[in-house]
């Protein structure tokens, strides 16, 4: 077929563009034909057909040599660019077909990123060296918007989300612990009843952090009726420093303890009686995601990699 049709107009075929680009490079029909594995008559016919489709003369043919016409000089650059883009398209398609290659845009909430990313990055580096992992740290609402709009591919965050069209791949559950100043009565204690939260001056993260909402839910479950909002912080590091300064107490997930509490010698931790308040962390993907099988495999690999952390790893069917 000489060329495809679009809006009633014939368009050049890739074979015609390859033939012309080869002639433009070699300025010799025999050499050009050998370079692209085409017979010389077929190559000559393809270039002639391209000239017919475009309505311009591309070559000046003589008995001894081939020259590009002025139009051919200009269009040879375009033809080469088109062929390079087609080649890039084929390479990208091959990368998509191959698992764990290409770009993976991972969104992570701030109360997970500092504590789990070292494990995630090590896993990807060691097991998936051809995966181009791009990390975006944002609050839950922004991450979900990015996932549903296609800006992000996969999320690492606290669940449940309860969002239609989003599939959760549970990774682990972890307990919350109470972080107090040195002189606090509950500092260092085991078996703290949840009801103790009714009277505590609890410091919270700012609005928009899911950990704030989880802390408030825990307080409500403990029977607290007011929202303990006297002082807030933008991140867990600041929150812990406020506790060290004696402004109150806070709740931290166990994965954050090692990083956050070693920055000050003015802190103690207390553990709740069973069942302790917990949070669940999962990967989340769009329902029907083209790379869904890869994400499920990544979730399973992450579960194994996270076992050394102070968490309870979950099975995929939880």
């Amino acid at each position: 077929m000489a060329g495809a049709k679009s809006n009633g107009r014939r368009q050049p075929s890739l074979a015609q563009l390859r033939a012309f680009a080869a002639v433009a490079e070699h300025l010799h029909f025999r050499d050009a034909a050998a370079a692209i594995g085409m017979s010389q008559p077929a190559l000559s016919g393809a270039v002639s057909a391209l000239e017919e489709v475009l309505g311009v003369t591309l070559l000046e043919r003589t008995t001894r040599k081939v020259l590009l016409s002025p139009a051919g000089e200009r269009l040879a650059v375009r033809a080469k660019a088109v062929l390079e883009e087609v080649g890039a398209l084929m390479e990208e398609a091959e990368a998509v077909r191959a698992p764990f290659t290409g770009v993976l845009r991972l969104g992570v909430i701030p109360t997970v990123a500092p504590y789990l990313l070292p494990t995630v990055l090590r896993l990807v580096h060691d097991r998936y060296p051809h995966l181009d992992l791009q990390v975006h740290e944002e609050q839950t609402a922004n991450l979900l918007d990015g996932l549903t709009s296609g800006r992000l591919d996969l999320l690492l965050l606290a669940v449940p989300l309860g969002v239609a069209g989003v599939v959760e791949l549970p990774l682990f559950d972890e307990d919350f612990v109470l972080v107090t100043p040195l002189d606090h009565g509950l500092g260092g204690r085991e078996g703290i009843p949840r009801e103790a939260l009714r009277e505590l001056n609890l410091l919270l993260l700012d609005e928009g952090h899911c950990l704030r909402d989880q802390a408030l839910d825990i307080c409500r479950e403990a029977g607290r009726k007011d929202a303990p909002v006297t002082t807030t912080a933008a991140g867990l590091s600041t929150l812990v420093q406020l506790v060290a300064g004696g402004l109150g107490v806070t709740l931290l997930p166990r994965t954050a303890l090692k990083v956050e509490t070693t920055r000050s010698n003015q802190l103690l931790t207390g553990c709740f009686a069973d069942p302790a308040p917990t949070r669940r962390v999962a990967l989340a993907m769009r329902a029907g995601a083209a790379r869904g099988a890869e994400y499920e495999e990544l979730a399973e690999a992450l579960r194994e990699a996270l076992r050394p952390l102070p968490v309870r790893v979950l099975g995929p069917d939880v």
Side-chain angles (χ1 to χ4, degrees):
M1 186 171 63
K5 290 187 177 182
S6 177
N7 297 326
R9 296 180 57 187
R10 293 172 64 198
Q11 292 187 337
S13 69
L14 290 177
Q16 292 167 357
L17 292 175
R18 288 193 190 95
F20 171 54
V23 174
E25 179 181 354
H26 295 278
L27 294 177
H28 195 287
F29 275 98
R30 187 180 64 238
D31 293 346
I36 62 174
M38 182 182 285
S39 70
Q40 191 170 329
L43 178 127
S44 180
V47 174
S48 296
L50 179 62
E51 290 178 316
E52 182 184 345
V53 169
L54 298 177
V56 295
T57 299
L58 300 172
L59 304 177
E60 295 179 5
R61 300 167 177 83
T62 69
T63 55
R64 294 193 173 188
K65 59 183 177 179
V66 177
L67 299 175
L68 291 174
S69 69
E73 294 272 6
R74 293 175 57 184
L75 294 179
V77 176
R78 295 282 188 177
K80 182 180 179 182
V82 169
L83 292 171
E84 287 176 349
E85 285 300 314
V86 170
L89 174 68
M90 298 303 292
E91 289 178 3
E92 187 68 20
E94 184 178 355
V96 169
R97 290 196 301 272
F100 297 106
T101 60
V103 174
L104 173 58
R105 299 163 297 180
L106 175 68
V108 191
I109 55 174
T111 58
V112 160
Y115 321 116
L116 298 190
L117 275 181
T119 301
V120 174
L121 296 177
R122 194 179 311 113
L123 172 69
V124 170
H125 178 271
D126 293 344
R127 187 175 296 193
Y128 311 115
H130 301 295
L131 187 64
D132 181 8
L133 183 66
Q134 300 177 0
V135 177
H136 302 261
E137 184 185 60
E138 303 170 26
Q139 293 184 2
T140 300
N142 288 338
L143 291 181
L144 285 171
D145 180 69
L147 183 69
T148 55
S149 68
R151 177 174 61 86
L152 299 173
D153 302 311
L154 193 63
L155 307 182
L156 178 60
L157 72 179
V159 296
L161 301 169
V163 177
V166 174
V167 176
E168 298 169 9
L169 306 173
L171 298 176
F172 62 83
D173 289 340
E174 64 175 325
D175 293 341
F176 283 100
V177 296
L178 188 68
V179 181
T180 74
L182 287 177
D183 59 357
H184 197 280
L186 294 178
R189 281 186 52 184
E190 300 282 338
I192 300 171
R194 290 198 195 197
E195 290 73 21
L197 292 169
R198 296 175 186 173
E199 309 300 330
L200 295 177
N201 182 22
L202 191 65
L203 306 181
L204 300 175
L205 291 174
D206 292 338
E207 295 274 358
H209 288 278
C210 63
L211 193 60
R212 171 196 174 93
D213 297 331
Q214 290 164 348
L216 290 173
D217 287 342
I218 292 168
C219 288
R220 281 191 286 269
E221 290 170 3
R224 186 163 185 159
K225 305 207 179 295
D226 67 313
V229 182
T230 56
T231 302
T232 62
L236 290 183
S237 296
T238 302
L239 203 61
V240 169
Q241 293 306 312
L242 294 175
V243 173
L247 295 187
V249 301
T250 195
L251 294 173
L252 281 189
R254 279 197 174 275
T255 50
L257 275 184
K258 184 176 180 181
V259 172
E260 300 301 344
T261 60
T262 55
R263 296 175 179 174
S264 172
N265 59 4
Q266 301 299 306
L267 298 168
L268 289 174
T269 57
C271 298
F272 289 94
D274 291 334
T278 64
R279 75 168 177 176
R280 176 164 295 179
V281 173
L283 291 176
M285 65 179 183
R286 289 183 296 275
R291 301 173 72 180
E294 286 180 56
Y295 300 155
E296 290 178 4
E297 183 179 334
L298 177 61
E300 185 56 35
L302 261 179
R303 292 183 190 107
E304 291 305 310
L306 292 167
R307 287 192 183 279
L309 298 183
V311 300
R312 293 184 296 280
V313 173
L314 301 170
D317 299 325
V318 172

